[in-house]
């Protein structure tokens, strides 16, 4: 059975559910839909972006209270009077206010890392919760009553079975929007966050902007849920918008599968129904009233996290009667624009007296380096010589303590690596940095991020199809170029280490660079794979590309490099042609094992 058929069957079941189920079960389904809308934002924020937030309930409250205030206050300020009494106009203002608040909170919070980030979300979540209970005009802990029902096409959605269709239509639209986003250029940039900030920035991704985008989207989903909740209940007070509910939303995401879009619906449904059943049955078993369900529920969560850390949705997918999706390789498309290749022999990269100190440790000392178009320069030296530190300074990941780095004649000290990538520098990493759960094709397409310009809004509506086809066609071309054309739809994490290194080179080539920085590209490759890599790099050199590589395989280096620079203890000890380096006494003693 095709996934589309299952989705249509699910929609058909939803369509008849209010006609067949008692009012109480319809109400439960309404709550599941409202909760799932919030959890969908957490899938983006936590499952995709890797950022844990305990504050989503506060955004739900922001949407609910904004609409409640605007639709029940008799004397609104003049500049708000136009929105008075209309839930739909109140929704518009609620979303605008939520977006502004999320931008401010995101700008402050998302600069935190580690355990400070979730602690920061707890802080502003609690602050907003107490604001709802203490702000004049919000009714204190009693709340606001007598909210008007939502009306649609002249029909008043007062009853649960009426508003049911609106809640689930909004949720399914949000699911579609989320899937469109994740399957786009912008979505790949967001998913690249899990591969590490250094990798994403080196591919041209503005990581802070990507984090802020999903933070705002998650907040808007939560505010939309709050608006629906307020006009379904016709009453709001601060209780549903506190830290406890924020924790419940995270639990729902974990139960369903924090990385799965449809897992948001499953997690919201399982948690809501489980809580209801525990509240009904435990008092009968225990013989008294109490919060026994919280204890049992907590134990079940711990057990599930141990046994099924990926959540229920990935487990369920294994047993669904779904036919494998037939994946068709990207068709040829209009080629992406390419930069003008530099003139052979042109100076591409130059390091002048670059020194990098870490406290009292001097990792690089007065390093000079020059790479020209149409040549391969190898940087060699024993472990701890400072090669990777120099690489990071050349690519913008780190900043020299003194000296300067020039790329295409421009000083790039302190310039963000994504801006340097835009100018034509691309790199691989000593320790492979890929997104193992993404396909090989999508991993490589991340490299072309800067060669397109589709916006987030265009991604929501899937309006960037033509651009997306061009990006995927480029990624396929580069994979075929490096010999991985037969692995387009394999998960990147399933490839052998040597193949993953080749994949990184394909990703770097997808950026259309004029300078390629390769950090130990031959490590883990078999003999024939090394020969194929050497042939590829030689072809790139002949096309006019400048290549700087760090490598420990001396046979590979000596047979490929045009020039070699040797480092020891952060300093340059030799620079010249391969045959001269092989005969240099200082190199023989420091690196090649002379007695």
């Amino acid at each position: 059975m095709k996934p589309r058929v299952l989705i249509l069957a699910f929609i058909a079941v939803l369509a008849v559910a209010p006609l067949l189920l008692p009012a109480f079960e319809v109400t439960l389904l309404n709550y599941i839909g409202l909760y799932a809308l919030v959890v969908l934002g957490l899938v983006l924020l936590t499952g995709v972006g890797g950022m844990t937030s305990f504050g989503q309930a506060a955004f739900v409250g922001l949407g609910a209270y904004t609409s409640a205030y605007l639709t029940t206050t008799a004397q609104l300020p003049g500049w708000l009077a136009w929105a008075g009494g209309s839930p739909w106009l109140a929704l518009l203002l609620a979303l605008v206010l939520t977006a502004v608040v999320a931008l401010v909170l995101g700008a402050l919070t998302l600069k935190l890392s580690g355990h400070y980030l979730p602690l920061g979300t707890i802080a502003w979540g609690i602050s907003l919760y107490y604001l709802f209970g203490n702000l004049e005009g919000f009714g204190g802990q009693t709340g606001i009553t007598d909210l008007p029902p939502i009306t649609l096409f002249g029909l008043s959605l007062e009853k649960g079975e009426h508003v049911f269709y609106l809640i689930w239509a909004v949720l399914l639209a949000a699911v579609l929007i989320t899937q469109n986003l994740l399957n786009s250029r912008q979505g790949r940039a967001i998913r690249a966050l899990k591969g590490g900030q250094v990798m994403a920035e080196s591919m041209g991704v503005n990581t802070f902007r990507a984090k802020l985008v999903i933070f705002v989207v998650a907040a808007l989903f939560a505010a939309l849920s709050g608006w629906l909740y307020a006009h379904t209940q016709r009453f709001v007070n601060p209780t549903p918008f506190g830290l406890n509910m924020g924790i419940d939303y995270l639990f729902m995401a974990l139960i369903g599968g924090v990385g799965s879009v449809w897992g948001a619906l499953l997690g919201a449904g399982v948690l809501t129904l489980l809580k209801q059943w525990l509240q009904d049955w435990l008092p009968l078993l225990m013989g008294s009233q109490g919060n026994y369900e919280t204890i049992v529920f907590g134990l079940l969560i711990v057990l599930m996290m141990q046994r099924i850390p990926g959540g229920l949705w990935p487990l369920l997918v294994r047993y669904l009667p779904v036919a494998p999706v037939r994946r068709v390789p990207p068709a040829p498309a209009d080629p992406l624009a390419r930069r003008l290749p530099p003139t052979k022999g042109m100076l591409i990269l130059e390091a002048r007296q670059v020194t990098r100190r870490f406290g009292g440790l001097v990792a690089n000392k007065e390093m000079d380096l020059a790479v020209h178009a149409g040549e391969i320069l190898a940087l060699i030296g024993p472990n701890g010589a400072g090669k990777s530190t120099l690489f990071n300074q050349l690519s913008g990941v780190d900043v020299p303590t003194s000296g300067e780095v020039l790329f295409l004649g421009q000083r790039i000290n302190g310039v963000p690596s994504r801006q340097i990538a835009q100018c034509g520098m691309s790199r691989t990493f000593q320790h492979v940095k890929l997104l193992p759960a993404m396909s090989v094709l999508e991993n490589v397409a991340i490299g072309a991020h800067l060669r397109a310009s589709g916006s987030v809004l265009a991604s929501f509506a899937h309006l960037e199809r033509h651009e997306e086809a061009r990006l995927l066609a480029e990624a396929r071309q580069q994979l075929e170029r490096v010999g991985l054309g037969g692995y387009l739809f394999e998960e990147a994490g399933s490839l052998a280490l040597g193949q993953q290194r080749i994949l990184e080179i394909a990703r770097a080539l997808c950026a259309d660079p004029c300078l390629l920085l390769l950090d130990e590209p031959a490590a883990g490759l078999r003999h024939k794979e090394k020969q194929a890599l050497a042939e590829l790099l030689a072809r790139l050199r002949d096309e006019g590309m400048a290549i700087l590589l760090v490598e420990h395989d001396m046979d590979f280096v000596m047979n490929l490099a045009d020039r070699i620079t040797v480092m020891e203890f952060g300093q340059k000890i030799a620079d010249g042609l391969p045959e001269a380096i092989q005969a240099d006494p200082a190199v023989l003693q420091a690196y090649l094992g002379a007695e």
Side-chain angles (χ1 to χ4, degrees):
M1 188 180 296
K2 294 181 179 180
R4 183 175 296 178
V5 175
L6 282 177
I7 294 172
L8 291 175
F10 176 66
I11 293 173
V13 170
L14 286 176
V16 299
L19 306 177
L20 303 176
L21 296 176
F24 178 73
E25 276 74 11
V26 173
T27 300
L28 276 181
L29 286 174
N30 285 342
Y31 279 117
I32 290 170
L34 293 172
Y35 296 155
L37 191 54
V38 184
V39 178
L40 190 61
L42 280 173
V43 167
L44 278 175
L45 195 61
T46 304
V48 178
M51 297 172 286
T52 303
S53 172
F54 290 91
Q56 294 308 106
F59 286 128
V60 179
L62 194 57
Y65 265 102
T66 302
S67 191
Y69 175 76
L70 291 173
T71 55
T72 60
T73 303
Q75 297 294 328
L76 288 171
W79 60 280
L80 283 177
W82 59 274
S86 170
W88 292 102
L89 293 177
L91 170 63
L92 177 62
L93 285 178
L95 294 178
V96 170
L97 177 62
T98 301
V100 172
V101 172
L103 283 170
V104 173
L105 292 177
L108 297 173
T109 309
L110 299 180
K111 293 180 180 178
L112 303 174
S113 59
H115 58 275
Y116 294 107
L117 176 58
L119 288 175
T121 65
I122 290 173
W124 56 252
I126 292 175
S127 299
L128 287 175
Y129 168 74
Y130 281 107
L131 180 68
F132 301 145
N134 293 286
L135 196 64
E136 186 178 352
F138 279 9
Q141 294 300 317
T142 304
I144 303 175
T145 59
D146 298 324
L147 274 69
I150 298 170
T151 57
L152 186 63
F153 303 120
L155 176 65
S156 178
L157 307 181
E158 295 184 56
K159 295 182 179 181
E161 58 267 26
H162 293 157
V163 78
F164 170 91
Y165 292 106
L166 178 62
I167 290 172
W168 281 89
V170 168
L171 175 59
L172 292 175
V175 167
L176 178 63
I177 285 172
T178 303
Q179 289 185 322
N180 285 346
L181 174 64
L182 293 178
N183 293 325
S184 69
R185 165 182 170 271
Q186 294 288 350
R188 281 191 295 274
I190 293 166
R191 287 189 283 171
L193 296 174
K194 275 202 166 182
Q197 185 163 319
V198 172
M199 183 277 284
E201 288 276 337
S202 296
M203 295 299 108
V205 175
N206 186 331
T207 54
F208 181 74
R209 179 181 176 276
K211 291 178 182 179
L212 198 56
V213 164
I214 54 176
F215 188 81
V216 172
V217 170
L220 291 175
F221 283 171
L224 184 54
S225 175
W227 174 76
L228 287 165
Y229 170 84
H231 291 283
T232 299
Q233 292 290 102
R234 314 276 299 280
F235 160 78
V236 292
N237 74 348
T239 304
F241 313 126
L243 181 59
N244 287 342
M245 198 63 211
I247 294 172
D248 278 354
Y249 287 133
L250 269 176
F251 277 156
M252 291 175 193
L254 291 170
I255 290 170
V258 74
S260 309
V261 171
W262 290 100
L265 280 69
L266 181 62
V270 168
L271 182 63
T272 304
L273 295 175
L274 185 60
K275 271 194 166 185
Q276 186 63 45
W277 291 336
L278 291 174
Q279 289 171 356
D280 290 342
W281 287 99
L282 284 178
L284 299 177
L285 296 175
M286 300 296 183
S288 62
Q289 296 295 324
N291 292 327
Y292 296 111
E293 73 277 359
T294 304
I295 299 171
V296 175
F297 180 68
L299 293 174
L300 288 173
I301 288 291
V302 171
L303 182 63
M304 202 200 81
M305 291 300 100
Q306 288 181 337
R307 300 294 183 182
I308 321 172
L312 294 175
W313 180 256
L315 187 66
L316 181 62
V317 167
R318 297 180 196 172
Y319 300 101
L320 285 175
V322 179
V325 178
R326 183 174 176 270
R327 298 182 175 182
V328 180
D334 295 337
L336 296 172
R338 299 193 179 278
R339 69 181 79 249
L340 290 174
T343 306
K344 190 168 184 179
M346 174 183 172
L347 180 61
I348 302 295
L349 179 72
E350 185 179 14
R352 297 176 181 172
Q353 297 291 291
V354 169
T355 298
R356 184 67 173 102
R357 294 186 177 88
F358 297 96
L361 174 67
V362 181
N364 292 142
K365 184 177 180 182
E366 298 177 354
M367 277 295 303
D368 290 321
L369 198 84
V371 189
H372 299 82
E375 78 163 344
I376 298 176
L377 173 65
L379 185 64
I380 67 173
N383 290 330
K387 304 183 297 297
S388 293
T389 302
L390 182 61
F391 240 52
N392 287 338
Q393 293 170 90
L394 297 177
S395 60
V397 175
D398 199 2
V399 182
T401 306
S402 62
E404 60 181 0
V405 179
L406 302 175
F407 179 51
L408 296 175
Q410 299 295 317
R411 192 173 188 268
I412 59 172
N413 295 48
V415 175
S417 55
R418 67 175 178 274
Q419 293 182 21
I420 298 174
Q422 193 166 22
C423 294
M425 183 189 299
S426 198
R427 66 167 294 181
T428 64
F429 297 88
Q430 181 180 6
H431 303 291
V432 174
K433 296 184 184 296
L434 300 173
L435 298 168
M438 280 174 59
S439 71
V440 168
L441 183 68
E442 288 182 299
N443 267 277
V444 173
I446 292 172
H449 179 76
L450 286 172
R451 300 176 67 186
S453 57
S455 67
V456 173
L457 294 178
S459 300
F460 286 156
H462 204 21
L463 298 177
E464 76 317 340
R465 294 189 185 110
H466 179 65
E467 180 182 80
E468 182 71 2
R470 297 173 68 194
L471 290 172
L472 294 179
E474 175 71 17
R476 179 188 181 184
Q477 178 185 339
Q478 297 302 340
L479 282 166
E480 291 173 344
R481 188 180 190 183
V482 300
L484 291 178
Y487 298 89
L488 298 181
F489 301 113
E490 300 291 330
E491 287 191 354
S494 69
L495 299 184
L497 176 60
Q499 292 173 315
Q500 291 181 1
R501 291 193 178 279
I502 298 298
L503 191 157
E504 274 204 322
I505 294 175
R507 184 180 65 193
L509 291 174
C510 220
D512 187 31
C514 61
L515 172 64
L516 199 56
L517 304 183
L518 305 178
D519 202 345
E520 299 189 24
L525 269 63
R526 301 181 182 89
H527 178 67
K528 288 188 177 180
E529 292 174 330
K530 289 180 182 179
Q531 286 182 326
L533 174 61
E535 291 172 4
L536 171 64
L537 297 183
R539 287 199 305 272
L540 294 174
R541 172 185 57 195
D542 294 342
E543 292 171 9
M545 188 175 294
I547 300 173
L548 172 63
L549 67 89
V550 169
E551 188 51 67
H552 286 292
D553 188 322
M554 288 300 99
D555 287 337
F556 182 81
V557 168
M558 296 299 173
N559 292 322
L560 178 66
D562 298 297
R563 289 189 300 115
I564 298 175
T565 295
V566 188
M567 293 181 66
E568 185 183 27
F569 300 119
Q571 294 179 280
K572 181 166 68 174
I573 61 172
D575 187 10
L577 300 176
E579 52 270 23
I581 293 299
Q582 286 178 303
D584 191 300
V587 176
L588 292 173
Q589 176 142 4
Y591 192 72
L592 297 180
E595 295 181 2

